């Protein structure tokens, strides 16, 4: 065996790649163990709801067509690359073709002479070894397998580009309610082969990774759906948006809308750019919950739904997986008003519990991690920006940097739809006061858990900026001179602002200067030192944050106007642009706390 081919890196002898398996009494190649063989003392069936474990040949579930989706097809997707074989699927590594080799006698003797410490280190290293020897055949087969599992949809410019993975991130988690698959027809129309946007979370990861927010969007929220370019079989067509407001869940599936349409709908509704999406259907929920060994949930009251979800659970804690996990997520009968809003609380509890389990248990077990990776990649359809195992791992690492106690689950603030009669209200609309506050806090990376460092830094920065720029005498509205430019990307924003300033605030010396030379991320007000009183007055009227004020160094000529450029943070004429530093009460719950569903 060549030291270069098996790696004498770190002065590890090639013979030490062979490890004694106490279950079988035979030596096994450590690399092949790390590529899927069961560790000593670990017993598992190697199967999930979606088919055979990665140790054997998997029978994939029937795939559901997704608008614009393509399934990755590596050369050796079935895992039969040289050195990996097909296995028996039991997870014990006893089948033929598993890649196990009996080492030469001389190697075996040298292995028996190795130190006990080195044996333990090599054995407990387990599957993590594949990270260190990524060029090996077994690793290549595993990577190809995972890569082939992932469904990919190109959503074009619906996915907001990021300068780097280290910046703030907004990720759409889309639960597709397609009913195809065994047992799923009981949840609705079994002929629904595309599905709709059923369970939806927008995950925001703060730029400094101190906090994250998982915001649920109700399926029955009435909102506007914009026109959506969608590519199918290489042909792009524009799917018309809604005329007026319609249910949010129609942003996907209806008229062939792809997940990019849901991303565009969220951006239009919240003003938040969406960087990536991940979509999972009913079958994926069953597969993932089984792969992690079940998810612990808690009920304040018993549930016995004999007609719909068939969920029958007493009050208290339970570990649910497979069909029962799906029933828990889908059930709404017996909950409060039996509405989607009540069901969302259970969905948030389920996802928070799964995150705790992954971080505290699964990530520390290479065997579990590999099983979950296989199940997750089979369950997911993603955008092309994260359409590979390597990219998904990079994204997961960013989320893993956030402490669980600083991950907040909440529902976008809503109120009953006033256009419906009081006794027949079935939909909701955005809360006109609380919803803009929540969106602004997410945009500004303000933590809903009030991370101490973040809160202290924000107060300190705000106090310093306020003292320098916002305190002092303010000009009368009639004396304010300002030219308004539209860099927000919202058509008519400059004119709407002018109308509000002149008609409602008395700022008559304001003028619409049309579009700015380029789009602006933030609204800015540029002024000269001798215009500071005007700037303070205008900032107070518009609710501009101190960071929006850009003082110059040279005095302006008489009657020269200030320059106001509206940015992407523009939310409408007269709507304050200052993000609150304390969260409104929207029933938020931290991910590290288990709250029993009502």
């Amino acid at each position: 065996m060549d030291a270069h081919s098996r790696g004498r890196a770190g002065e590890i002898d090639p013979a030490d790649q062979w490890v004694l398996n106490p279950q079988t009494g035979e030596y096994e190649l450590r690399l092949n163990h790390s590529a899927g063989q069961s560790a000593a003392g670990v017993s598992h069936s190697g199967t999930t709801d979606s088919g055979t474990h990665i140790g054997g040949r998997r029978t994939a579930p029937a795939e559901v067509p997704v608008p614009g989706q393509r399934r990755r097809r590596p050369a050796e997707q079935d895992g039969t690359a040289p050195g990996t074989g097909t296995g028996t699927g039991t997870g014990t590594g006893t089948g033929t073709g598993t890649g196990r080799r009996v080492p030469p006698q001389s190697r075996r003797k040298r292995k028996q002479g190795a130190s006990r410490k080195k044996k333990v280190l090599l054995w407990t290293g387990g599957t993590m070894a594949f990270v260190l020897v990524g060029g090996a055949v077994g690793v290549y087969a595993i990577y190809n397998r995972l890569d082939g599992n992932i469904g990919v949809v190109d959503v074009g410019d619906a996915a907001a580009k990021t300068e780097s993975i280290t910046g703030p991130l907004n990720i759409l988690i889309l639960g597709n309610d397609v009913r195809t698959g065994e047992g799923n027809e009981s949840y609705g129309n079994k002929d629904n082969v595309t599905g709709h946007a059923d369970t939806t979370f927008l995950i925001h990861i703060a730029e400094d990774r101190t906090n994250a927010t998982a915001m649920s969007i109700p399926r029955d929220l009435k909102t506007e759906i914009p026109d959506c370019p969608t590519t199918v079989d290489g042909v792009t067509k524009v799917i018309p948006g809604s005329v007026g407001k319609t249910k949010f869940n129609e942003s996907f599936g209806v008229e062939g809308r792809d997940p990019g349409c849901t991303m565009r709908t969220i951006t239009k509704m919240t003003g938040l750019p969406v960087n990536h999406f991940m979509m999972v259907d009913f079958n994926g929920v069953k597969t993932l919950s089984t792969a992690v060994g079940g998810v612990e949930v808690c009920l304040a009251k018993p549930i016995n739904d004999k007609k719909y979800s068939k969920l029958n659970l007493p009050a208290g804690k339970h570990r649910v997986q497979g069909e029962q996990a799906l029933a828990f997520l889908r059930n709404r009968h017996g909950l409060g008003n039996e509405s989607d809003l009540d069901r969302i609380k259970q969905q948030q509890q389920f996802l928070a519990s799964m995150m705790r389990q992954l971080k505290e248990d699964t990530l520390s077990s290479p065997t579990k991690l590999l099983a979950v990776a296989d199940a997750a990649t089979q369950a997911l359809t993603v955008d092309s920006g994260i359409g590979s195992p390597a990219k998904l791992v990079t994204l997961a690492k960013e989320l893993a940097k956030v402490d669980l106690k600083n991950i907040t689950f909440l529902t976008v603030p809503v109120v009953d739809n006033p256009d419906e009669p009081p006794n027949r209200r079935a939909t909701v609309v955005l809360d006109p006061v609380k919803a803009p506050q929540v969106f602004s806090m997410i945009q500004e990376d303000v933590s809903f858990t009030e991370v101490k460092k973040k809160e202290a830094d924000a107060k300190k920065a705000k106090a310093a900026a306020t003292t320098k720029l916002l305190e002092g005498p303010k000009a009368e509205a009639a004396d304010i001179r300002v030219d308004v430019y539209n860099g927000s990307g919202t058509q008519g924003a400059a004119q709407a602002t002018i109308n509000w300033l002149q008609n409602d605030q008395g700022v008559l010396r304001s003028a619409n200067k049309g579009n700015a030379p380029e789009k602006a991320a933030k609204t800015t007000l540029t002024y000269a030192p001798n215009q500071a009183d005007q700037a303070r007055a205008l900032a107070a009227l518009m609710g501009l944050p101190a960071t929006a004020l850009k003082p110059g160094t040279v005095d302006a000529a008489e009657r020269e106007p200030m320059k106001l450029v509206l940015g992407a943070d523009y939310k409408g004429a007269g709507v304050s642009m200052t993000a609150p530093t304390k969260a409104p009460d929207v029933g938020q719950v931290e991910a590290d706390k288990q709250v029993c569903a009502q």
Side-chain angles (χ1 to χ4, degrees):
M1 185 181 298
D2 187 355
H4 293 289
S5 63
R6 281 298 174 208
R8 190 180 277 274
E11 296 303 318
I12 295 178
D13 191 276
D16 287 343
Q17 301 292 333
W18 295 91
V19 184
L20 178 66
N21 185 338
Q23 274 192 327
T24 63
E26 296 180 358
Y27 283 91
E28 299 176 1
L29 184 63
R30 180 168 68 102
L31 174 60
N32 283 359
H33 160 67
S34 68
Q37 292 169 305
S38 298
V42 176
S43 175
H44 57 82
S45 64
T47 60
T48 67
D49 285 358
S50 65
T52 311
H53 188 269
I54 194 169
R57 185 185 300 274
R58 178 178 298 279
T59 303
E63 293 188 5
V64 177
V66 175
Q69 177 181 353
R70 63 181 176 83
R71 184 66 64 170
R72 302 180 72 94
R73 298 291 186 190
E76 295 174 340
Q77 184 174 333
D78 64 354
T80 56
T84 60
T86 60
T88 63
T90 64
T92 63
T94 58
T96 60
T98 60
R100 180 189 305 166
R101 300 178 179 86
V102 178
Q105 185 65 27
S106 59
R107 301 299 188 199
R108 184 178 301 180
K109 290 180 179 178
R110 293 180 66 182
K111 176 62 185 175
Q112 291 171 336
S115 69
R116 178 66 178 173
K117 182 177 180 181
K118 183 177 290 187
K119 288 181 183 179
V120 172
L121 287 175
L122 290 174
W123 182 256
T124 57
T127 59
M128 295 307 293
F130 80 87
V131 177
L132 306 177
V133 286
V137 174
V139 178
Y140 175 80
I142 290 175
Y143 182 91
N144 260 21
R145 172 115 185 189
L146 298 180
D147 194 39
N149 288 345
I150 305 172
V152 179
V153 174
D154 184 358
V155 295
D157 61 2
K161 305 301 181 184
T162 54
E163 294 183 2
S164 70
I165 195 66
T166 59
L169 293 170
N170 293 317
I171 305 166
L172 166 65
I173 307 297
L174 183 61
N176 179 359
D177 68 354
V178 65
R179 267 74 171 181
T180 56
E182 183 178 354
N184 296 334
E185 64 275 2
S186 61
Y187 297 103
N189 179 9
K190 65 181 179 180
D191 296 325
N192 177 7
V193 297
T194 302
H196 301 100
D198 187 59
T199 302
T200 305
F201 286 91
L202 182 65
I203 310 292
H204 173 76
I205 309 174
E207 183 172 12
D208 61 6
R209 305 304 187 247
T210 60
N211 68 91
T213 302
M215 182 175 68
S216 295
I217 302 176
R219 54 169 291 153
D220 296 329
L221 170 66
K222 282 293 192 79
T223 188
E224 294 182 15
I225 299 176
D227 293 347
C228 180
T230 303
T231 301
V232 179
D233 296 330
V235 178
T236 300
K237 66 175 182 178
V238 176
I239 301 174
S242 60
V243 178
K245 293 185 176 180
T246 188
K247 286 186 178 182
F248 173 80
N249 75 323
E250 295 185 18
S251 64
F252 172 76
V254 176
E255 304 296 335
R257 293 184 179 121
D258 68 5
C261 300
T262 306
M263 298 168 79
R264 296 176 192 273
T265 300
I266 290 175
T267 297
K268 183 174 182 63
M269 179 175 67
T270 67
L272 300 168
V274 183
N275 306 107
H276 301 291
F277 86 87
M278 299 179 185
M279 182 166 63
V280 62
D281 61 17
F282 286 176
N283 296 309
V285 169
K286 292 189 284 189
T287 301
L288 277 171
S289 60
T290 302
V292 298
V295 177
E296 186 178 89
V297 297
C298 182
L299 294 174
K301 300 177 182 178
I303 294 177
N304 188 5
D305 178 16
K306 298 179 181 179
K307 185 177 180 180
Y308 297 99
S309 67
K310 308 296 190 297
L311 184 65
N312 184 6
L313 291 174
K317 294 183 179 180
H318 306 276
R319 186 168 292 276
V320 296
Q321 62 181 320
E323 197 69 47
Q324 195 175 50
L326 179 59
F328 180 84
L329 291 172
R330 293 293 303 156
N331 175 74
R332 59 186 174 86
H333 298 282
L335 300 175
N337 297 320
E338 299 191 349
S339 69
D340 184 50
L341 294 178
D342 295 313
R343 178 168 55 190
I344 281 175
K345 296 175 183 177
Q346 290 197 164
Q347 295 167 347
Q348 292 175 346
Q349 180 193 157
F350 182 92
L351 186 56
S353 180
M354 180 179 281
M355 291 175 68
R356 289 194 299 270
Q357 185 163 328
L358 285 172
K359 198 160 189 174
E360 297 168 2
D361 176 48
T362 307
L363 294 181
S364 62
S365 168
T367 304
K368 292 181 181 179
L369 188 59
L370 187 58
V372 171
D374 188 42
T377 51
Q378 286 201 64
L380 290 176
T381 297
V382 301
D383 64 279
S384 53
I386 52 174
S388 73
K391 293 177 180 178
L392 285 173
V393 167
T394 299
L395 188 61
K397 286 181 178 179
E398 292 303 304
L399 182 57
K401 294 177 182 178
V402 183
D403 195 309
L404 283 173
K405 68 181 181 181
N406 296 328
I407 300 178
T408 305
F409 284 83
L410 59 86
T411 303
V412 60
V414 296
V415 295
D416 288 336
N417 187 353
D419 295 333
E420 295 176 338
N423 61 336
R424 299 186 63 185
R425 284 179 174 167
T427 61
V428 293
V429 295
L430 292 178
D431 185 312
V433 176
K434 291 184 177 180
Q437 290 179 326
V438 168
F439 301 154
S440 180
M441 288 184 68
I442 294 175
Q443 180 77 45
E444 298 296 328
D445 270 1
V446 178
S447 171
F448 284 82
T449 55
E450 296 182 342
V451 181
K452 291 184 179 180
K453 180 180 181 301
K454 185 80 172 180
E455 186 179 32
D457 290 348
K459 287 182 178 180
K460 182 178 179 181
K462 181 180 179 182
T466 299
T467 300
K468 292 180 180 180
L469 300 178
L470 296 181
E471 292 184 355
K474 298 179 179 64
E476 296 295 327
D479 295 329
I480 298 175
R481 296 176 182 272
V482 62
D483 288 342
V484 181
Y485 295 81
N486 186 8
S488 68
T490 301
Q491 187 174 0
Q495 188 58 51
T497 300
I498 292 296
N499 293 341
W500 175 76
L501 286 173
Q502 294 183 351
N503 298 332
D504 296 345
Q505 304 300 319
V507 183
L508 303 179
R509 295 171 177 173
S510 53
N512 180 359
K513 292 298 183 177
N515 291 330
E518 57 186 16
K519 290 184 178 181
K522 303 286 185 180
T523 296
T524 57
L525 176 61
T526 304
Y527 60 96
N530 61 338
Q531 296 172 323
D533 58 341
Q534 297 182 50
R536 286 191 287 265
L538 185 61
L541 290 175
M542 297 186 64
L544 295 178
T547 53
L549 274 59
K550 307 297 180 186
T553 57
V554 180
D555 282 349
E558 186 179 0
R559 298 183 180 181
E560 183 178 344
M562 300 181 293
K563 180 180 179 181
L564 175 67
V565 178
L566 301 176
D569 55 350
Y570 169 83
K571 299 176 179 63
V575 180
S576 175
M577 298 182 191
T578 303
T581 56
K582 186 175 182 179
D585 184 10
V586 292
Q588 58 265 31
V589 177
E590 288 77 39
D592 65 328
K593 297 180 175 66
Q594 185 178 60
V595 178
C596 295
Q598 301 296 321

